[in-house]
Amino acid sequence: MRDLFKRIVAAGPGGAALAVHRDGELVVDEWAGDWSRDDVVNVFSVGKGVVAALAHRHLTGLDRPVREWWPEFSTDCTVADLLSHRAGLPAVRRDLPDGALFDWTAMTEALAAEHPWWPPGERHGYHAVTFGWLVGEVLRRATGRTVRELVRDLGIDGLSVGLAANTPVRDVLPPESHGPLPRLSATELTVKAFANPAEQLTPGLPNTARWRAAEIPAANVHAHARALATLYGELLTSPKLAEMIEPRSEGHDEVLGSETRFGLGFMLANPTRPFSPNPRAFGHSGSGGALAFADPDEGFAFAFTPSRTLLTPAGPDPRWPALIEALYR
């Protein structure tokens, strides 16, 4: 598996890290290409799994209304709805001003006042960026600590929301297309989910100091692979594991227009991103190819963090299948 990983990384620019955690032990910890052992990189939506882990660690009664923690929240939904992308709040309708992306209060207030795009709990749709603010604000009100502080409290080296000063970091390389890009339905909902605030579309944004200093938990978690594998290895022993991975959302995704599956905060293996042959595997992929997941039946956790980003249509990142086949073999 190590040799295979190094060949895959050598096939393109940049670098990557790979880690596997099994039975309480880190059994693979590799890096290759333009990379050093302690380098971290922006892992984009892989961060949603980190936020979900915090929710299960700090919150109880996930089927209780969000308003019990957040009285100003206008949508009648539960924390479980937020975690399973069923709240109907993947986007804000009004155009948000410049700077909103980096303003926690502006985003949480806008989401608290927003009218849901569908009746909460009835359907699901990927909350691409709003997930972090929604779940993160509940966590902040329940614990008195920010998501950034709660991640730091985990004590896992090489895992952070945004980036601490002097952390060795690899730039995210400009995305390359791999196959025809998916044609997302040009609905107002989809456009708003990915382009409001419009700053989300800024070229090179992940490599800017402003992005790295921000707290955008659904999209700007930075990590190296062994930190993510360690986190998921610990989740495999959680007494809440069955609750975490119980399917809550399956089928047509209102935002992506494809078939997705989610438990309580974790992506489950699904047709859009088939990261494991086991339907009980749980984790999250990230834009451009980052991946972290655990398989409760096999007892291992896997993480892959590349600096070279590939834009792929529905299906696995082309670097995953051979690695995952080797993992299960």
Side-chain angles (χ1 to χ4, degrees):
M1 187 175 187
R2 294 184 182 100
D3 292 342
L4 176 63
F5 163 70
K6 290 177 179 178
R7 289 199 301 271
I8 289 171
V9 175
L18 173 74
V20 177
H21 196 280
R22 183 171 188 135
D23 298 330
E25 181 182 357
L26 194 65
V27 295
V28 176
D29 181 16
E30 294 291 321
W31 56 96
D34 185 16
W35 208 272
S36 299
R37 183 180 188 274
D38 293 325
D39 286 348
V40 302
V41 72
N42 192 164
V43 293
F44 299 102
S45 287
V46 170
K48 292 183 178 69
V50 178
V51 176
L54 295 176
H56 289 284
R57 183 183 181 97
H58 294 285
L59 302 176
T60 57
L62 297 178
D63 287 308
R64 290 155 54 194
V66 172
R67 290 196 195 104
E68 290 192 17
W69 290 273
W70 189 354
E72 304 89 342
F73 193 74
S74 63
T75 297
D76 185 17
C77 72
T78 66
V79 176
D81 289 329
L82 299 183
L83 286 165
S84 56
H85 300 265
R86 303 185 72 82
L89 296 171
V92 175
R93 287 179 176 82
R94 66 178 176 86
D95 289 341
L96 293 161
D98 289 348
L101 180 65
F102 306 98
D103 188 330
W104 185 275
T105 300
M107 291 308 307
T108 54
E109 288 182 351
L111 288 165
E114 185 60 59
H115 181 72
W117 293 76
W118 63 80
E122 290 191 6
R123 301 192 292 278
H124 81 278
Y126 188 50
H127 289 45
V129 187
T130 62
F131 180 95
W133 292 306
L134 291 166
V135 179
E137 182 64 7
V138 174
L139 282 164
R140 189 184 71 82
R141 289 171 179 252
T143 67
R145 297 179 66 73
T146 66
V147 176
R148 175 175 284 158
E149 291 167 337
L150 292 173
V151 170
R152 191 180 303 135
D153 291 347
L154 291 172
I156 299 176
D157 180 59
L159 180 64
S160 64
V161 177
L163 203 61
N166 302 318
T167 303
V169 59
R170 288 297 169 187
D171 283 349
V172 174
L173 300 184
E176 306 170 23
S177 295
H178 186 86
L181 294 180
R183 292 188 176 182
L184 297 175
S185 56
T187 64
E188 181 188 14
L189 171 57
T190 301
V191 171
K192 293 287 188 181
F194 289 95
N196 189 30
E199 292 155 309
Q200 294 176 86
L201 302 180
T202 304
L205 180 65
N207 299 328
T208 63
R210 194 177 190 190
W211 175 267
R212 289 172 174 171
E215 188 169 7
I216 308 170
N220 85 330
V221 164
H222 287 68
H224 54 57
R226 71 175 174 277
L228 293 167
T230 298
L231 173 66
Y232 275 92
E234 293 176 356
L235 290 176
L236 286 172
T237 64
S238 170
K240 296 184 177 181
L241 179 61
E243 180 185 22
M244 292 179 191
I245 67 175
E246 178 188 357
R248 292 285 187 119
S249 298
E250 297 185 89
H252 178 76
D253 188 298
E254 296 291 321
V255 173
L256 299 179
S258 57
E259 301 288 306
T260 56
R261 297 175 69 235
F262 295 97
L264 282 178
F266 297 100
M267 179 182 285
L268 306 178
N270 66 85
T272 299
R273 286 288 180 256
F275 55 80
S276 168
N278 186 352
R280 279 170 40 86
F282 69 101
H284 222 289
S285 62
S287 177
L291 175 65
F293 77 92
D295 187 322
D297 297 325
E298 298 291 342
F300 57 63
F302 169 98
F304 172 70
T305 56
S307 63
R308 177 190 178 206
T309 56
L310 299 180
L311 299 180
T312 61
D317 180 287
R319 295 165 292 192
W320 298 349
L323 291 172
I324 292 170
E325 180 182 353
L327 177 68
Y328 277 88
R329 187 169 63 239

